[in-house]
Amino acid sequence: MSRHRLVVLAGPTAVGKGTVSSYVREHAPEVWLSVSVTTRPPRPGEVDGVHYHFVDPAEFARMQRDGELLESAVVHGRASYGTPRRPVEEALAAGRMALLEIDLQGARQVRDVMPEALFVFLAPPSWEELVRRLVGRGTEGEEEREARLTTARLEMAAQKEFDVTIVNDDVRRAAEELVSLM
Ligand code: 5GP
């Protein structure tokens, strides 16, 4: 199997992309992880410059305008997210393996500009398991629940656009499979 230096990891909401990339961050230091910019506020434990670069909407708009982002998207209709272009180009120029963990809209944009990357879809072990993770303990109303399921169905349908599918049945196993492709 051919190996790839730039890997883009995407998949449906709640599939565990963040957990898999955190595992890679801790256990595969040879892989460079892109740090996205976002307009959402940090969650407890998140470190600026490590998990994200937290910026205000004006700074995000400036970066977009100045062409500093490789891709960008509004996720869940709430906050903007984007991948700074320069660090990705520098990591690749330095001969490093690079991983982008982004949403589906972002993955499609990267495919347009860097088609040589490997596009990996992280899938849930089953549709039922994804529904369980999404709907959780049923704290959302019926409408919110239906909205999430509709989004998840659309996201699952995007699987065929990807080069490889990795099933997130176990975080460690999925992360190791991901690193083995690089
Ligand atoms: P969270 O706010 O939970 O950290 O991330 C929400 C979603 O945003 C996840 O699906 C994550 O993959 C996506 N995301 C994180 N960074 C980026 C980015 O730079 N670009 C895009 N398009 N999506 C991102």
Side-chain angles (χ1 to χ4, degrees):
M1 191 190 302
S2 65
R3 285 156 183 270
H4 295 259
R5 292 246 317 284
L6 176 61
V7 169
V8 177
L9 180 69
T13 309
V15 75
K17 290 182 303 248
T19 322
V20 169
S21 63
S22 293
Y23 189 95
V24 172
R25 180 187 288 118
E26 279 162 33
H27 296 91
E30 70 276 21
V31 176
W32 176 82
L33 250 81
S34 166
V35 180
S36 300
V37 285
T38 182
T39 60
R40 83 150 163 76
R43 297 186 187 125
E46 284 184 334
V47 179
D48 189 36
V50 176
H51 299 94
Y52 283 103
H53 299 289
F54 297 98
V55 299
D56 61 24
E59 172 62 3
F60 192 93
R62 187 205 58 76
M63 293 180 84
Q64 261 181 328
R65 205 171 48 237
D66 292 349
E68 292 179 14
L69 301 179
L70 189 60
E71 58 77 33
S72 63
V74 175
V75 180
H76 303 317
R78 281 198 288 268
S80 300
Y81 295 81
T83 304
R85 180 194 305 274
R86 266 272 287 286
V88 177
E89 289 170 352
E90 285 171 0
L92 294 174
R96 297 201 64 182
M97 299 179 276
L99 177 64
L100 272 54
E101 183 255 294
I102 59 180
D103 88 322
L104 289 167
Q105 312 167 71
R108 290 180 179 129
Q109 293 170 43
V110 176
R111 194 178 46 207
D112 288 342
V113 290
M114 290 179 161
E116 68 283 6
L118 183 74
F119 292 85
V120 178
F121 188 87
L122 193 66
S126 66
W127 169 253
E128 288 70 27
E129 175 60 20
L130 184 67
V131 171
R132 205 181 59 76
R133 290 182 197 176
L134 264 177
V135 176
R137 295 166 301 174
T139 43
E140 303 83 25
E142 184 67 16
E143 218 170 287
E144 172 70 16
R145 201 186 118 99
E146 278 314 308
R148 288 188 185 201
L149 292 180
T150 301
T151 305
R153 254 178 233 112
L154 289 172
E155 289 174 336
M156 286 299 289
Q159 182 171 346
K160 57 183 181 300
E161 300 169 26
F162 284 74
D163 300 313
V164 182
T165 292
I166 292 180
V167 176
N168 189 18
D169 46 5
D170 174 83
V171 171
R172 178 179 172 178
R173 198 207 59 73
E176 282 170 359
E177 186 178 345
L178 183 66
V179 173
S180 77
L181 296 170
M182 306 184 86

